[in-house]
Amino acid sequence: MDTVEIAGVLIDTRHYIDGHRVASVETFENTSPIDGSFLGNFSRAGASEVNAAVVAAKTAFPEWRELGPRGRGDKLEKLATLIEENIEVLSQIETLDNGSLLRSNRRGVMPRAAANIRFFADWAIKELKHDAFETRGHVNHISWDPSGVAALITPWNAPLMLATWKIGPALAAGDTVVLKPAEWTPLTASFFADLTIKAGIPAGVFNVVFGIGTEAGAALTQHPGLSRISFTGSVPTAKKIARAAAENLTPVNFELGGKSPFIVLGDADLELATDLAVEQYDNAGQVCLSGTRILVHESISNEFSRIFSEKTKKLIHGDPRNESTNMGPQIHQDHFNRIAGFVARAKDEGANIVFGGSPNLELGGLYFRPTLVMQPKNGSEILTHEIFGPVLCMQTFSNDEEALTMANSTEFGLAAVVVSGNHEHAEKITKNLVAGTIWVNCFFVRDLKAPFGGSKKSGIGRDGGTWSFDFYADVKNTVIAPNGWKD
Ligand code: ADP
């Protein structure tokens, strides 16, 4: 079977290469984390399908490059509109595939996917310019030239939205693309490929290969025909990709994990602080940006944990398709076991689990309760490793210096949240935090023009606005002399 019917639409289970659907002999099974239901047997790429996709992208590159920002922008605008017209179906298939909340997909995630495509198309047309620099009469013209074939490797926690974050700037910059979505969530990438055809994007400009990370992903990142590799995922996988990329000196952009601090200063508004803390369980904790280490000033810690516990108890755990649900299942049995393993080892070490710490047996399957671990030991696994599940740790501090030391004490530097009632106090903290993004009295808001990425082991490079083009494009300086002209 080449297609599977999901949410009233036919999803093709084959790769999309050079404008055609291409099947592999081998397949892998896709199931829903909601109830284990079957969602298709997808083609499982090896080196030959990956090579065909890179060759197709390379062949399509000159024509796409020649279209220029405006020609490409027209097609990308159509693509963004098509995403908007299909928000409902995209939301439904994404929810079935990865268990994320249907209402969040409808209202936030899928509109943002469309916005990503539209924003970067527009940015390439209007914003990619510098004032020309002038030195001794010589004018330096800076341009952002298409670089070639970009390989995009994406995760399962927000599959389409995170893919468009890369597809948007890569295609707008004039690169052609080979996308390898995560093996646990192939559905929206396949549907998206159909939308690119409707948008008039020429064959070979956008390709999708389905497959397992260690097979298709590895073959893709080793390929000598790439000009860029952009990856969002875990640190161990990033190290493998960096080694593969080193062989061909392919530039990489990595957005990796986090163990972000969520700092509540003594002058914080506790209602706001606890509301924001509850948000750290969003997407069942499967968000790289989550502030999973809650650091609270000792003067307010009892009150904070009382209100936070009350609010967390009200979270409705269950089927992510229901409007009232706050938290759905974990993505996959393997990931569920990994989360449960972290918690079991913490318990063995005598950790104080204030609430949660176990599966929700009434729901069965992959539902893990929201969990809070109080005052874990410094340096313990639960406090230093990214769990990527609904497991938060809480510690107290007695002064700003201690808060900063604790906050900066992991190998990650993706994000941080600071809750404070005093501008100066908040600024004193933010100035000394090591993180790519810091939210003060808020969470998760970001203008697409602003940079996004991680410090330390949380990533290499930044996305957003011109930063994205600095990566996907070849930045060129053409220096023009004042003399030597005959016209
Ligand atoms: P997670 O641990 O969150 O599942 P991974 O980093 O393993 O994250 O996976 C993110 C993406 O990386 C997925 O698309 C996966 O298929 C891909 N991937 C996994 N291993 C490799 C690899 N060795 N080379 C390239 N891609 C890989």
Side-chain angles (χ1 to χ4, degrees):
M1 286 289 278
D2 292 336
T3 55
V4 56
E5 190 181 335
I6 294 166
V9 289
L10 286 180
I11 306 280
D12 207 303
T13 54
R14 297 167 295 176
H15 314 296
Y16 177 65
I17 299 173
D18 204 15
H20 303 288
R21 291 292 176 169
V22 177
S24 292
V25 178
E26 301 283 323
T27 58
F28 63 95
E29 191 186 63
N30 184 34
T31 56
S32 175
I34 301 174
D35 53 10
S37 55
F38 176 73
L39 297 177
N41 284 321
F42 277 74
S43 281
R44 178 170 177 163
S48 76
E49 296 92 326
V50 165
N51 184 54
V54 176
V55 169
K58 231 180 153 86
T59 309
F61 175 63
E63 183 192 335
W64 187 243
R65 180 184 56 201
E66 288 314 309
L67 271 182
R70 201 163 283 280
R72 294 190 290 266
D74 286 345
K75 296 188 188 305
L76 293 174
E77 279 287 336
K78 277 194 202 122
L79 182 59
T81 304
L82 283 161
I83 297 175
E84 280 158 357
E85 288 169 3
N86 285 280
I87 280 177
E88 182 55 29
V89 67
L90 283 166
S91 300
Q92 292 205 20
I93 60 179
E94 198 79 291
T95 291
L96 280 167
D97 211 6
N98 81 340
S100 51
L101 295 185
L102 181 57
R103 67 179 152 85
S104 306
N105 285 335
R106 278 180 182 144
R107 289 178 209 146
V109 178
M110 293 306 164
R112 182 73 161 193
N116 284 337
I117 301 287
R118 183 163 282 124
F119 168 83
F120 285 108
D122 214 40
W123 192 267
I125 296 167
K126 295 187 197 140
E127 307 291 340
L128 269 187
K129 47 179 116 50
H130 266 303
D131 291 339
F133 304 116
E134 192 259 310
T135 177
R136 287 181 280 120
H138 294 61
V139 182
N140 294 234
H141 283 288
I142 317 299
S143 58
W144 284 259
D145 290 4
S147 73
V149 179
L152 312 180
I153 299 182
T154 48
W156 43 259
N157 58 332
L160 185 66
M161 201 281 285
L162 291 175
T164 55
W165 199 334
K166 301 177 190 300
I167 296 166
L171 292 183
D175 296 353
T176 52
V177 162
V178 178
L179 170 69
K180 209 299 280 170
E183 50 269 51
W184 290 343
T185 53
L187 295 185
T188 46
S190 185
F191 190 81
F192 180 84
D194 292 337
L195 298 185
T196 66
I197 302 172
K198 290 188 185 140
I201 293 188
V205 168
F206 176 77
N207 306 274
V208 183
V209 285
F210 297 113
I212 310 302
T214 48
E215 302 168 2
L220 182 57
T221 53
Q222 284 162 17
H223 202 289
L226 306 177
S227 69
R228 299 289 185 269
I229 298 172
S230 177
F231 166 73
T232 299
S234 64
V235 171
T237 300
K239 289 184 183 175
K240 289 185 198 159
I241 294 176
R243 281 186 209 110
E247 193 54 40
N248 301 302
L249 288 180
T250 313
V252 296
N253 177 287
F254 288 162
E255 197 262 281
L256 308 176
K259 190 77 181 175
S260 299
F262 180 103
I263 306 170
V264 186
L265 300 179
D267 50 30
D269 173 336
L270 278 186
E271 281 305 322
L272 174 66
T274 47
D275 280 346
L276 291 172
V278 172
E279 284 185 40
Q280 310 310 307
Y281 289 121
D282 280 1
N283 209 20
Q286 300 167 142
V287 177
C288 55
L289 296 161
S290 287
T292 48
R293 292 182 298 132
I294 300 181
L295 310 176
V296 188
H297 191 268
E298 59 189 12
S299 63
I300 53 164
S301 66
N302 287 340
E303 193 61 358
F304 174 91
S305 53
R306 186 184 64 73
I307 305 173
F308 178 52
S309 300
E310 275 169 18
K311 287 185 179 172
T312 306
K313 271 191 211 127
K314 291 192 187 132
L315 289 178
I316 299 172
H317 205 189
D319 191 320
R321 291 167 293 191
N322 296 341
E323 186 69 20
S324 57
T325 299
N326 301 109
M327 233 179 92
Q330 310 307 138
I331 178 74
H332 191 273
Q333 188 68 52
D334 293 353
H335 189 61
F336 181 92
N337 294 346
R338 186 175 173 275
I339 296 167
F342 275 115
V343 175
R345 289 190 294 279
K347 278 184 182 164
D348 286 348
E349 283 183 11
N352 175 8
I353 314 271
V354 183
F355 52 77
S358 59
N360 191 333
L361 295 177
E362 282 164 36
L363 298 171
L366 303 179
Y367 294 82
F368 201 88
R369 291 180 196 280
T371 298
L372 182 67
V373 183
M374 189 64 89
Q375 302 285 23
K377 278 193 218 109
N378 277 333
S380 60
E381 181 192 62
I382 200 114
L383 196 58
T384 52
H385 284 58
E386 183 178 47
I387 299 169
F388 221 65
V391 180
L392 306 181
C393 295
M394 180 171 152
Q395 295 175 283
T396 56
F397 61 86
S398 55
N399 58 53
D400 291 348
E401 285 62 39
E402 198 186 357
L404 281 165
T405 304
M406 289 161 92
N408 289 332
S409 69
T410 70
E411 62 174 4
F412 297 107
L414 190 59
V417 180
V418 177
V419 193
S420 169
N422 181 286
H423 276 99
E424 253 175 65
H425 195 184
E427 201 184 319
K428 180 179 165 205
I429 301 294
T430 59
K431 223 170 59 186
N432 294 296
L433 281 174
V434 182
T437 303
I438 303 176
W439 284 287
V440 181
N441 292 343
C442 60
F443 182 56
F444 226 71
V445 187
R446 183 178 68 92
D447 193 294
L448 287 172
K449 300 191 259 319
F452 174 82
S455 304
K456 299 198 277 185
K457 296 251 182 336
S458 288
I460 297 179
R462 294 290 183 271
D463 290 300
T466 301
W467 287 276
S468 293
F469 290 89
D470 286 345
F471 174 68
Y472 289 105
D474 277 332
V475 181
K476 188 164 81 184
N477 180 16
T478 306
V479 184
I480 302 172
N483 50 312
W485 302 101
K486 290 188 175 168
D487 52 6

